[in-house]
Amino acid sequence: MISSLLAGARRGVQVPLARRLSIAVATTSIAAALVVSVPTTDAAGDTPAGQRPGARAWFTSWAGSQHDLAPTPLRDQSVRMISHLSQGGDALRVRIQNTFGTTPLTVDAATVALTDGESAAVQGRPRPVTFAGRHEAVVPAGGELWSDATTLTTRAQGDVAVSLSVSGTIVPGRHQAAFRTNYLTAPGTGDHTGDTSATAYTETTQSTYLVTAVDVHNPRLKGSLVAYGSSVVDGVGSTDCGPGCTQLGTNRRWTDGLARRIATELPPTRQLAVANAGVNGTTSAADCPKLADHLRGLDARARLQRDVLALHGVTGVLYYYGTNDLPAGCDAQQVLASYRDVFGRLHAAGIKVYVTPVTPRPSYTDEHNRSRYTINSFVSRRNDCSGACDGIMGFDQVLKDPLKPNAINPPYDTGDGVHANIAGQQGLADTLSLPMLASSAHR
C-alpha cells in the first residue's frame, strides 16, 4: 500500500512549481495516508508520537534544537537549511518550529532536495513540501508543525536542503551553532524554494533557522538514538582540527562519528538513526543559581518533551549532562533529582537511557569535585544507575588527562580544558558500545 502511494507521490511532484496550488486536492489523499500528525502526548504528556503502533516506519534522522531567536528578522525571503542525515529512506518530512517567536510564522512554500552540502545549490529538481495537503502553512507563536511526507530517496550520511519561503516580517527561531554554513536570499526577494542554483542565496548564516527535525521513512530501521545534553553534545570543538585549523561543515561531532559507525559496523537488521538534541550551556537541573538568564527554561526537564519525546521512533537517549550544573551552582542532589525525573519519564515512554559520568573540567573546585564524585558514583553503580538507566558511556575516562584528572587529555583538548577537538570527538564515538546501543532497537 505504501509503495503504491509513494509511486503516486513521485508522479505528483513532477508538476511545475507554478501549478502547485492546482494539485493540492490530489495530493491530500497521499499526504493523509503517509503523514503522522503533529506529535501528540498521552495523559502524562510524555508518549512520543513515533512510538505509537503503526508509526514505526518513521524515524528522526536529524535534529537541531531551537533555543533562541535570530538577531535579524526575515522579510519576505527564502532560507535554505542543510540537514546531514544519519540514515536515509524513501520519503521524508520536516518539523518547523516557532517556539520562541512572538508572532505567527507564515510559510508560503517549502521544498526539499538533495545537496552536497558545500553550497546552496541542489542536485535535481526540488520537491514541493505540503502541510496537511497545502503548500502554505502558518505556525503560531510558540507552536510547531510537521510536514506531510515527501517522496525523496536519501541515504545515510547524505545532505538534504530544506528551503522555506517566509512572507511578512518574522524573527526566526534558531539553533545558534550549526557548525556549517546555511543560506538565505536577500530580504524582499520572495520565493526561491524551487531554485536549483545557488545564485539567489546571497546571504549566509552559521545557525539553523526554523527547521528542527527531519524524519525519514525507512521500515528497515530499528529506532532512533537521541543525544541529549549541553555543549559537547551540541558540537563545540568539532570543527577544531588543531591550532589555526578549522573544518566547518565536515560533520565531526561524536554523534556524527557514532552514526557512521552504526551505518558501517552494525548489520542491516540492527540499523539505528542518530539525532542530536544538544544545546550549548544548558544544565540538567533547573534553577541553578549562577546560570545565565538566557539559559533558564532550557534545562533537561524543561525541553524534554519538544526535543526528545516529540521526535519519532526514539528507542534510546544518550544523556550527557552535569558538567555545567556544578559551576552554575547546583549540587549533587539537585542534579540527581533531575536525572531520576528525566530517566523515569523516558522509561515510561519505552525509551532506554545511556548516561556518561560527569566529565573533567579544570575549573572544578573541591566542592564541585565532591558533587561530581557523588553523581558519578550514582551513575556507575551496577553500570545502570542502580536501575535508573540502562548503560554507561565512559566519556569521563576517554577525556581525562592521565596526569591531571580534572583536565582533558591534551591531544583531545581544544585548549579551553572543557571541550573535545575533532580527535577527541572521534575518541568519544569510538568508545561507545554498539551492542549496548543496539539493545534499544525495536524487535
Side-chain angles (χ1 to χ4, degrees), residues 326 332 335-336 339 358 371-380:
L326 304 181
V335 175
L336 292 178
Y339 281 15
V358 177
S371 286
R372 182 182 173 213
Y373 176 82
T374 300
I375 295 165
N376 290 357
S377 296
F378 166 80
V379 169
S380 300

Side-chain angles (χ1 to χ4, degrees), residues 317-319 339-340 342-344 346-347 351-357 375-393 436 439:
V317 164
L318 314 182
Y319 198 84
Y339 281 15
R340 292 187 180 97
V342 170
F343 300 170
L346 291 169
H347 280 159
I351 297 170
K352 290 192 174 182
V353 186
Y354 307 102
V355 186
T356 180
I375 295 165
N376 290 357
S377 296
F378 166 80
V379 169
S380 300
R381 193 173 300 137
R382 295 191 345 215
N383 288 321
D384 67 356
C385 313
S386 294
C389 66
D390 300 280
I392 307 303
M393 307 182 298
M436 177 184 74
S439 69

Side-chain angles (χ1 to χ4, degrees), residues 80-82 178 180-184 203-208:
R80 181 160 282 176
M81 302 288 114
I82 311 300
R180 70 173 318 118
T181 301
N182 286 310
Y183 307 95
L184 305 84
E203 300 184 3
T204 61
T205 177
Q206 290 182 14
S207 297
T208 301

Side-chain angles (χ1 to χ4, degrees), residues 39-59:
T40 57
T41 60
D42 65 4
D46 281 346
T47 298
Q51 306 240 352
R52 295 196 306 269
R56 289 188 174 179
W58 287 103
F59 299 90

Side-chain angles (χ1 to χ4, degrees), residues 165-191:
S165 173
V166 176
S167 66
T169 299
I170 179 75
V171 181
R174 67 171 177 172
H175 184 89
Q176 183 174 2
F179 301 106
R180 70 173 318 118
T181 301
N182 286 310
Y183 307 95
L184 305 84
T185 64
T189 53
D191 181 7

